[in-house]
Amino acid sequence: MRVVVDAVGKSCPIPVVMTKKAIDKGAEELLIKVDNQIAVENLKKLADSTGFLTEVHKKKEIYEVIFSKDCESCKQILDEISSPQKPNLEGMQDYVVFIGKEWVGDGDHELGKNLMRMYIYTLTEAEQLPSAVLFMNGGVKLPVEDEQVVEHLKKLSDMGVDILVCGTCLNFYGIAEQLKIGTVSNMYDIAGRMTKAGKVITI
């Protein structure tokens, strides 16, 4: 029996939370209705992490995201879900870095921006890598606008570090389409990573 989750008008992470609750109750096929692309991308991530296949249909301004364990048109990605590529976790430690603004500290902002670039570069050279770098609020501008930071983040990503960027924040600043590195995420995922991490470093 298909479970319908009506999340139209709900901002992330509410559609993800509503869907996760339905899955936890045993739903094996779901139809989730949302009205923005960020929610669609976050739902796809949830599907991947919970073993579901997805189909997306757009009807006027509404997206319908189908979660299914046996979706005929999605079988081409079944192998990818069954045997995903695993990042190289050697040297990776149980901590995450949370970045909520474009600069380090509360003094001069230009100095603070240079310090941020140096900090992220230093992460790429560290013996102990974080499992993820999380961007929220003004921090989401870094993987969009700062070329030096983007270069350093690409290196971290290649080394297996997850780069998660708040989709609601990207939408607020009107820069969602300009993201150059990282995965569009939501409060549900980001809060989960922070909760599960052994240590959270806030910049």
Side-chain angles (χ1 to χ4, degrees):
M1 179 179 177
R2 176 178 290 182
V3 175
V4 177
V5 177
D6 188 352
V8 174
K10 308 291 187 183
S11 59
C12 280
I14 295 175
V16 173
V17 173
M18 293 172 66
T19 304
K20 183 63 166 56
K21 286 182 177 180
I23 292 172
D24 289 344
K25 290 180 180 178
E28 294 191 353
E29 184 174 354
L30 304 96
L31 171 63
I32 307 101
K33 298 181 180 181
V34 294
D35 57 4
N36 64 88
Q37 185 64 38
I38 295 294
V40 172
E41 295 305 317
N42 286 327
L43 286 168
K44 287 181 179 179
K45 285 183 57 185
L46 176 64
D48 287 346
S49 67
T50 52
F52 282 86
L53 302 174
T54 56
E55 284 186 341
V56 180
H57 305 281
K58 187 175 183 181
K59 298 181 178 179
K60 295 185 179 180
E61 300 302 318
I62 304 301
Y63 295 89
E64 294 185 347
V65 184
I66 299 172
F67 278 35
S68 175
K69 294 289 188 179
D70 186 24
C71 177
E72 187 64 32
S73 65
C74 297
K75 287 190 181 296
Q76 59 186 1
I77 63 171
L78 181 59
D79 290 339
E80 298 176 14
I81 294 176
S82 300
S83 55
Q85 292 185 345
K86 295 183 179 180
N88 178 15
L89 300 180
E90 183 178 355
M92 190 172 296
Q93 301 299 309
D94 186 23
Y95 76 96
V96 299
V97 175
F98 177 86
I99 298 177
K101 54 186 178 181
E102 298 174 75
W103 50 80
V104 174
D106 297 319
D108 183 83
H109 286 178
E110 287 305 314
L111 172 61
K113 288 180 179 180
N114 285 330
L115 293 173
M116 181 66 78
R117 296 183 188 107
M118 286 188 281
Y119 175 77
I120 296 177
Y121 167 75
T122 302
L123 282 180
T124 68
E125 300 297 321
E127 292 184 5
Q128 299 180 344
L129 296 174
S131 60
V133 181
L134 315 172
F135 292 92
M136 293 190 72
N137 208 327
V140 302
K141 296 179 182 179
L142 290 168
V144 172
E145 300 174 352
D146 194 306
E147 294 296 337
Q148 292 184 48
V149 170
V150 169
E151 181 180 348
H152 302 329
L153 292 176
K154 286 181 178 178
K155 184 174 180 180
L156 285 171
S157 180
D158 289 342
M159 297 165 74
V161 178
D162 292 333
I163 311 298
L164 303 183
V165 186
C166 169
T168 298
C169 306
L170 289 169
N171 280 340
F172 178 84
Y173 290 111
I175 54 177
E177 301 300 322
Q178 302 169 42
L179 183 64
K180 295 177 181 175
I181 179 64
T183 301
V184 176
S185 190
N186 57 75
M187 184 64 75
Y188 181 84
D189 284 342
I190 291 174
R193 295 299 291 265
M194 295 174 73
T195 300
K196 294 175 183 177
K199 179 170 62 176
V200 177
I201 297 176
T202 301
I203 303 300

